Amino acid sequence: MAKQDRAIRTRRAILEAAAMVFEKQGFQAATITDILKVAGVTKGALYFHFQSKEALAHGVLSEQGSGPGLQPQPIKLQELIDAGSILAHRLRTDHLVRASVRLTLDQQAHGLDRSGPFRHWSEVNGELLTVAQQRGELLPNVVISDTAELYVGAFAGLQMMSQILSDYQDLSHRHAVMQRHMMSSIAVPSVLAALDFAEDRGARISAELEAAEREAAGV
């Protein structure tokens, strides 16, 4: 068990080092040597967990979809809001997530398949919207696949604008504004009136999820 725990910690340290280098330099300019220097591990240890720079990048990219799961809500569309709220919060507080998003949008990352996060979030949104439709929360004209992808594209643009203008400090506000506008075009009036668009919702939910994880682990 101790050996397994050590391997998990080593892998995490390598991922965090890669994230720092990718975020600072971008995928094309980053080198394995740079990542090794930051991680403080041997080349053998790095290649045991990741066979290439591309594999490291995919490990960082997957961090967008990591973390605690969403808390079930009485209104399914609230979970759609919460997914974005939590991601907005993590972009301000988690450098791995920031690096993941930078990689996703890195136009110089030639040869790296960056479609994973876009597909993942489109699928998550589609699943939430499908249940919301089954519960009668959506207006009849809503096309689920189009709406799911629109959310992904809108968030990608918002986070880029927020990163440039405020280093993500205003992202929760921008996300709340986006949600109010988009929900008004897809949610039935009774559901729309019951949704929580609070800008601090992502931080509150993240804190609750982290506390629940610590309690479950007996920490």
Side-chain angles (χ1 to χ4, degrees):
M1 183 63 72
K3 186 176 181 180
Q4 183 180 8
D5 290 343
R6 186 165 62 251
I8 292 172
R9 289 195 299 271
T10 299
R11 185 182 188 277
R12 187 69 180 181
I14 294 169
L15 264 185
E16 290 181 351
M20 292 175 64
V21 175
F22 288 143
E23 185 178 9
K24 182 179 180 180
Q25 300 181 17
F27 176 77
Q28 207 67 27
T31 67
I32 291 293
T33 299
D34 296 329
I35 295 168
L36 285 171
K37 288 179 181 178
V38 176
V41 302
T42 66
K43 184 178 291 187
L46 186 148
Y47 282 115
F48 175 79
H49 292 282
F50 302 97
Q51 295 183 345
S52 63
K53 186 173 77 168
E54 288 75 13
L56 267 169
H58 283 297
V60 174
L61 285 170
S62 69
E63 286 298 310
Q64 284 184 56
S66 68
L70 286 172
Q71 294 176 318
Q73 300 293 329
I75 299 175
K76 204 66 180 179
L77 285 180
Q78 185 66 61
E79 294 180 33
L80 182 60
I81 295 172
D82 292 349
S85 297
I86 292 170
L87 183 56
H89 172 71
R90 294 184 71 200
L91 273 165
R92 295 199 316 277
T93 60
D94 189 331
H95 77 275
L96 260 173
V97 176
R98 288 197 300 273
S100 177
V101 169
R102 166 159 184 178
L103 274 177
T104 303
L105 302 175
D106 186 353
Q107 298 297 314
Q108 301 304 312
H110 304 300
L112 179 66
D113 182 1
R114 297 172 288 121
S115 64
F118 290 110
R119 296 183 190 280
H120 167 75
W121 287 115
S122 294
E123 290 172 3
V124 169
N125 292 346
E127 291 169 2
L128 293 173
L129 287 164
T130 296
V131 177
Q133 185 181 63
Q134 293 168 351
R135 294 183 179 182
E137 298 175 10
L138 300 183
L139 294 169
N141 62 315
V142 174
V143 178
I144 288 177
S145 59
D146 290 347
T147 305
E149 291 188 353
L150 178 61
Y151 260 98
V152 176
F155 188 94
L158 272 184
Q159 69 80 27
M160 183 182 294
M161 184 176 181
S162 177
Q163 190 273 329
I164 291 170
L165 295 178
S166 71
D167 193 27
Y168 294 124
Q169 294 309 301
D170 66 357
L171 182 55
S172 291
H173 169 71
R174 293 181 184 278
H175 174 257
V177 171
M178 180 195 81
Q179 289 285 6
R180 289 191 189 96
H181 281 76
M182 294 186 69
M183 283 294 170
S184 66
S185 68
I186 68 171
V188 298
S190 59
V191 167
L192 183 63
L195 294 172
D196 182 358
F197 298 101
E199 294 178 20
D200 68 342
R201 187 169 175 85
R204 285 189 282 113
I205 294 174
S206 295
E208 291 170 4
L209 292 171
E210 289 168 6
E213 279 196 335
R214 289 195 298 270
E215 184 178 349
V219 178

